[in-house]
Short mmCIF file of all heavy atoms in Angstrom, two decimals:
data_model
loop_
_atom_site.label_atom_id
_atom_site.label_comp_id
_atom_site.label_asym_id
_atom_site.label_seq_id
_atom_site.Cartn_x
_atom_site.Cartn_y
_atom_site.Cartn_z
N THR A 1 82.82 114.59 71.54
CA THR A 1 82.04 113.38 71.31
C THR A 1 81.64 113.26 69.81
O THR A 1 81.77 112.22 69.19
CB THR A 1 80.79 113.39 72.19
OG1 THR A 1 81.19 113.39 73.57
CG2 THR A 1 79.92 112.17 71.96
N LYS A 2 81.15 114.36 69.26
CA LYS A 2 80.71 114.39 67.86
C LYS A 2 81.86 114.07 66.91
O LYS A 2 81.76 113.23 66.01
CB LYS A 2 80.13 115.76 67.52
CG LYS A 2 79.47 115.86 66.16
CD LYS A 2 78.80 117.25 66.02
CE LYS A 2 77.92 117.29 64.78
NZ LYS A 2 78.65 117.25 63.53
N ALA A 3 83.03 114.73 67.17
CA ALA A 3 84.20 114.54 66.27
C ALA A 3 84.73 113.11 66.35
O ALA A 3 85.05 112.50 65.32
CB ALA A 3 85.28 115.53 66.65
N ILE A 4 84.83 112.58 67.56
CA ILE A 4 85.36 111.20 67.72
C ILE A 4 84.47 110.19 67.01
O ILE A 4 84.95 109.29 66.31
CB ILE A 4 85.52 110.87 69.22
CG1 ILE A 4 86.59 111.73 69.88
CG2 ILE A 4 85.89 109.38 69.40
CD1 ILE A 4 86.62 111.70 71.39
N LEU A 5 83.16 110.34 67.17
CA LEU A 5 82.23 109.42 66.53
C LEU A 5 82.29 109.53 65.00
O LEU A 5 82.02 108.57 64.26
CB LEU A 5 80.80 109.68 67.00
CG LEU A 5 80.47 109.16 68.42
CD1 LEU A 5 79.12 109.66 68.88
CD2 LEU A 5 80.52 107.63 68.47
N GLU A 6 82.63 110.74 64.50
CA GLU A 6 82.72 110.96 63.07
C GLU A 6 84.14 110.77 62.50
O GLU A 6 84.43 111.11 61.36
CB GLU A 6 82.22 112.36 62.73
CG GLU A 6 80.75 112.54 63.01
CD GLU A 6 80.28 114.00 62.84
OE1 GLU A 6 81.13 114.88 62.56
OE2 GLU A 6 79.07 114.27 63.06
N ASP A 7 85.03 110.23 63.34
CA ASP A 7 86.42 109.98 62.96
C ASP A 7 87.17 111.20 62.54
O ASP A 7 88.08 111.18 61.68
CB ASP A 7 86.52 108.92 61.83
CG ASP A 7 86.22 107.53 62.33
OD1 ASP A 7 86.73 107.18 63.40
OD2 ASP A 7 85.47 106.77 61.65
N ARG A 8 86.81 112.35 63.13
CA ARG A 8 87.52 113.60 62.87
C ARG A 8 88.42 113.94 64.05
O ARG A 8 88.10 113.60 65.22
CB ARG A 8 86.55 114.74 62.67
CG ARG A 8 85.72 114.63 61.40
CD ARG A 8 84.82 115.86 61.16
NE ARG A 8 83.75 115.95 62.11
CZ ARG A 8 83.72 116.82 63.13
NH1 ARG A 8 84.74 117.66 63.34
NH2 ARG A 8 82.68 116.87 63.96
N PRO A 9 89.53 114.64 63.82
CA PRO A 9 90.39 115.04 64.96
C PRO A 9 89.74 116.07 65.83
O PRO A 9 88.93 116.87 65.36
CB PRO A 9 91.67 115.58 64.29
CG PRO A 9 91.26 115.97 62.91
CD PRO A 9 90.11 115.03 62.53
N ILE A 10 90.05 116.06 67.12
CA ILE A 10 89.54 117.08 68.06
C ILE A 10 90.61 118.13 68.26
O ILE A 10 91.80 117.85 68.27
CB ILE A 10 89.13 116.45 69.40
CG1 ILE A 10 90.30 115.78 70.11
CG2 ILE A 10 87.99 115.46 69.22
CD1 ILE A 10 90.00 115.29 71.52
N ASP A 11 90.20 119.38 68.42
CA ASP A 11 91.12 120.50 68.70
C ASP A 11 91.40 120.59 70.20
O ASP A 11 90.49 120.80 70.98
CB ASP A 11 90.52 121.80 68.21
CG ASP A 11 90.48 121.92 66.69
OD1 ASP A 11 91.24 121.18 66.03
OD2 ASP A 11 89.66 122.72 66.17
N VAL A 12 92.66 120.34 70.52
CA VAL A 12 93.08 120.35 71.94
C VAL A 12 93.94 121.58 72.17
O VAL A 12 95.08 121.63 71.77
CB VAL A 12 93.89 119.04 72.30
CG1 VAL A 12 94.26 119.05 73.80
CG2 VAL A 12 93.04 117.81 71.97
N PHE A 13 93.35 122.58 72.82
CA PHE A 13 94.02 123.85 72.98
C PHE A 13 95.05 123.87 74.14
O PHE A 13 94.97 123.06 75.06
CB PHE A 13 92.99 124.99 73.16
CG PHE A 13 92.15 125.20 71.93
CD1 PHE A 13 90.86 124.73 71.86
CD2 PHE A 13 92.68 125.82 70.80
CE1 PHE A 13 90.07 124.92 70.73
CE2 PHE A 13 91.93 126.00 69.66
CZ PHE A 13 90.63 125.55 69.62
N ASN A 14 96.00 124.78 74.02
CA ASN A 14 97.10 124.90 74.97
C ASN A 14 97.87 123.57 75.07
O ASN A 14 98.43 123.23 76.12
CB ASN A 14 96.65 125.34 76.36
CG ASN A 14 97.74 126.03 77.16
OD1 ASN A 14 98.64 126.63 76.58
ND2 ASN A 14 97.67 125.92 78.46
N TYR A 15 97.87 122.83 73.96
CA TYR A 15 98.56 121.55 73.83
C TYR A 15 98.13 120.57 74.96
O TYR A 15 98.95 119.75 75.43
CB TYR A 15 100.07 121.78 73.86
CG TYR A 15 100.49 122.81 72.82
CD1 TYR A 15 100.83 124.12 73.19
CD2 TYR A 15 100.48 122.48 71.46
CE1 TYR A 15 101.18 125.06 72.25
CE2 TYR A 15 100.82 123.46 70.49
CZ TYR A 15 101.17 124.73 70.88
OH TYR A 15 101.47 125.68 69.95
N GLY A 16 96.88 120.71 75.39
CA GLY A 16 96.36 119.83 76.41
C GLY A 16 96.65 120.24 77.83
O GLY A 16 96.17 119.64 78.80
N LYS A 17 97.43 121.31 78.01
CA LYS A 17 97.80 121.75 79.35
C LYS A 17 96.75 122.68 79.92
O LYS A 17 96.98 123.87 80.20
CB LYS A 17 99.19 122.41 79.35
CG LYS A 17 100.32 121.47 78.99
CD LYS A 17 101.66 122.18 78.96
CE LYS A 17 102.80 121.20 78.74
NZ LYS A 17 102.73 120.48 77.46
N MET A 18 95.56 122.15 80.05
CA MET A 18 94.41 122.91 80.58
C MET A 18 93.78 122.13 81.72
O MET A 18 93.78 120.88 81.69
CB MET A 18 93.34 123.12 79.50
CG MET A 18 93.83 123.77 78.23
SD MET A 18 93.72 125.56 78.27
CE MET A 18 92.10 125.82 77.60
N LYS A 19 93.22 122.84 82.67
CA LYS A 19 92.44 122.21 83.75
C LYS A 19 91.13 122.92 83.86
O LYS A 19 91.07 124.14 83.79
CB LYS A 19 93.20 122.33 85.09
CG LYS A 19 94.34 121.39 85.27
CD LYS A 19 94.87 121.51 86.70
CE LYS A 19 96.06 120.59 86.91
NZ LYS A 19 96.59 120.71 88.29
N ARG A 20 90.05 122.13 84.02
CA ARG A 20 88.76 122.71 84.20
C ARG A 20 88.02 122.03 85.35
O ARG A 20 88.13 120.85 85.55
CB ARG A 20 87.89 122.53 82.92
CG ARG A 20 88.28 123.45 81.75
CD ARG A 20 87.95 124.90 82.04
NE ARG A 20 88.34 125.77 80.95
CZ ARG A 20 89.53 126.39 80.84
NH1 ARG A 20 90.44 126.15 81.75
NH2 ARG A 20 89.76 127.19 79.84
N ASP A 21 87.28 122.86 86.11
CA ASP A 21 86.50 122.34 87.22
C ASP A 21 85.15 121.93 86.69
O ASP A 21 84.14 122.62 86.87
CB ASP A 21 86.36 123.43 88.31
CG ASP A 21 86.03 122.82 89.66
OD1 ASP A 21 85.53 121.70 89.69
OD2 ASP A 21 86.24 123.51 90.69
N PHE A 22 85.13 120.80 85.95
CA PHE A 22 83.90 120.30 85.36
C PHE A 22 82.86 119.96 86.41
O PHE A 22 83.12 119.28 87.37
CB PHE A 22 84.19 119.05 84.52
CG PHE A 22 85.05 119.29 83.31
CD1 PHE A 22 86.42 118.97 83.34
CD2 PHE A 22 84.51 119.83 82.14
CE1 PHE A 22 87.21 119.19 82.25
CE2 PHE A 22 85.32 120.06 81.04
CZ PHE A 22 86.67 119.75 81.08
N THR A 23 81.65 120.53 86.22
CA THR A 23 80.59 120.35 87.22
C THR A 23 79.33 119.74 86.55
O THR A 23 78.80 120.33 85.58
CB THR A 23 80.21 121.70 87.86
OG1 THR A 23 81.44 122.37 88.23
CG2 THR A 23 79.39 121.50 89.12
N TYR A 24 78.90 118.63 87.07
CA TYR A 24 77.77 117.87 86.49
C TYR A 24 76.46 118.66 86.67
O TYR A 24 76.26 119.26 87.71
CB TYR A 24 77.66 116.52 87.12
CG TYR A 24 76.70 115.59 86.39
CD1 TYR A 24 76.85 115.29 85.04
CD2 TYR A 24 75.63 114.98 87.08
CE1 TYR A 24 75.97 114.44 84.39
CE2 TYR A 24 74.76 114.14 86.44
CZ TYR A 24 74.93 113.86 85.08
OH TYR A 24 74.06 113.03 84.43
N ILE A 25 75.60 118.62 85.67
CA ILE A 25 74.39 119.42 85.62
C ILE A 25 73.49 119.21 86.85
O ILE A 25 72.94 120.16 87.41
CB ILE A 25 73.59 119.18 84.32
CG1 ILE A 25 72.37 120.10 84.22
CG2 ILE A 25 73.23 117.72 84.13
CD1 ILE A 25 72.66 121.58 84.23
#
């Protein structure tokens, strides 16, 4: 979020081939 708002590139590891079980707080 910070990088996109500041027009900087984001580091996407494993060339984007990652999966995460994101869990809302």
